[in-house]
Amino acid sequence: MSSLDVVSTRVNAAKIAVGVTFAMNGLALAGWLSRAPAIRDGLELSIAGFGLLLLCMSGTSVASIPLAGPLVQRVGPARAVFLGSMSMAFGLAVLATATLLGSVVLAGLALLFCGFGTSTWDVAMNVEAADVERRLGRTIMPRFHAGFSLGTVGGAGVGAVASASGLPIWAQLYLTTAIVVVVQIMVVRRFLPHVDPEPGAKPAMTAGQAWREPRTILIGLILLGFGFTEGSANDWLAISLVDGYHAGDTLGAIGFGVFVTAMTLGRMYGGPAADRWGRVPVLRLTAVAAVVGLLLVVFGGSVQVALVGALFWGVGASLGFPIGMSAAADDPLRAAMRVSVAGSIGYGAFLAGPPLIGFLAEHFGVRNGLLCVFGALVIGLVASHAAKPLPTR
């Protein structure tokens, strides 16, 4: 076998490993979120109290993203993914114990580990995915993010089956922990090799330098705009159909399913479109699709029209985040820090979006509350030119 064949085999193995780790990230996250009511009831918390508990994870996750870049830059994506996934697994195990004992304090501690783990895992796997994408010479980042979406579907399915079969939430969480540990130990071994920096060597880029780069900030705004568009549908689309159109819970679930399916398919097949027409035109086209979908959901007048809107919304939200991550990682030497900084901006949408729409829905109705997504899309659209690939050196 020639040296080129060896390199090609190694890159293809890394591609599969990265796809699996994206799916496992989604599985670990959705596996427990799908059983959130059972966790809340097991801890005997009110809705407001459970919301405060969730802040332990979301707050820690957003706060940890700026730390993930230096970590990945120092130890490499494989070790950082392993550290993040093991932190997530440990958090799930502690959460299982907390539900078994009925301890809110222990549950809060568990979600701190989950928050740190998921953000570190996320930044590191995106850096590795960008490296694989670069070596393959074609856009495949959206497919990795589709793997995450499929993982969330799988996690939700596991939660539904466990609930229907009467499996206690603590047993499901222990099982999920074991799966994450075993799979991640195997897949990180297939990541591309990382060259450790020389002792005393200066980093390729510092966090301060990345925060002062206009292009990196604009990419962060792309992630913010499209992340808000995606997260708003995740949190509020089903509720908008049930409350806004007086539909049943089943139709609300179907609407959410239409959105998730459209977004997953957009990520599966959006890479060739970006290669053919370029990142910037594709981002602008998907922003228009999201606007059309949002208009149909808010002003469609019937559940049937709103379901068509959910389809357009899903396609429109599908490519902004993965394309933004690819753009942030264009330069392999500075990828970790730029992904970390852009991600810090982008993930703010997932922290601020739900309470903002909740506040607007309380005063203006849930359908009208969704109109703030237009503002996020405008931000992503205006910043979209920053996704243009860096010139090759």
Side-chain angles (χ1 to χ4, degrees), residues 58 61 131 143 160 170 222 224 247 285 297 314 334 347 359 380 383 385:
S58 58
S61 179
D131 194 12
R143 290 203 170 192
W170 56 265
I222 294 173
L224 177 70
L285 182 62
V297 169
R334 298 167 177 82
Y347 279 99
F359 173 81
H385 68 277

Side-chain angles (χ1 to χ4, degrees), residues 370-386:
L370 290 173
L371 291 174
C372 68
V373 176
F374 279 118
L377 283 169
V378 169
I379 292 173
L381 193 60
V382 170
S384 62
H385 68 277

Side-chain angles (χ1 to χ4, degrees), residues 75-103:
V75 305
R79 293 175 186 171
V81 164
F82 181 74
L83 176 62
S85 59
M86 292 305 105
S87 176
M88 182 71 172
F90 180 74
L92 291 176
V94 175
L95 184 60
T97 305
T99 59
L100 188 61
L101 300 177
S103 172

Side-chain angles (χ1 to χ4, degrees), residues 202-235:
K202 292 183 179 180
M205 169 174 275
T206 66
Q209 289 172 327
W211 277 105
R212 291 193 295 271
E213 286 187 325
R215 181 178 182 268
T216 301
I217 300 302
L218 287 172
I219 291 171
L221 293 178
I222 294 173
L223 299 180
L224 177 70
F226 282 92
F228 192 98
T229 302
E230 176 185 343
S232 298
N234 285 335
D235 294 327

Side-chain angles (χ1 to χ4, degrees), residues 170-259:
W170 56 265
Q172 180 193 329
L173 291 175
Y174 282 135
L175 178 61
T176 303
T177 299
I179 293 172
V180 170
V181 170
V182 171
V183 173
Q184 287 303 114
I185 287 175
M186 292 189 296
V187 298
V188 295
R189 295 176 179 177
R190 296 184 176 271
F191 278 21
L192 296 172
H194 169 73
V195 179
D196 293 321
E198 294 291 333
K202 292 183 179 180
M205 169 174 275
T206 66
Q209 289 172 327
W211 277 105
R212 291 193 295 271
E213 286 187 325
R215 181 178 182 268
T216 301
I217 300 302
L218 287 172
I219 291 171
L221 293 178
I222 294 173
L223 299 180
L224 177 70
F226 282 92
F228 192 98
T229 302
E230 176 185 343
S232 298
N234 285 335
D235 294 327
W236 294 102
L237 179 58
I239 294 175
S240 72
L241 294 177
V242 173
D243 292 358
Y245 287 98
H246 307 290
D249 288 346
T250 300
L251 280 174
I254 290 173
F256 176 71
V258 168
F259 169 81

Side-chain angles (χ1 to χ4, degrees), residues 24-43:
M24 288 305 303
N25 186 274
L27 177 72
L29 190 62
W32 79 268
L33 284 175
S34 64
R35 300 292 303 277
I39 295 173
R40 179 195 63 191
D41 295 342
L43 297 174

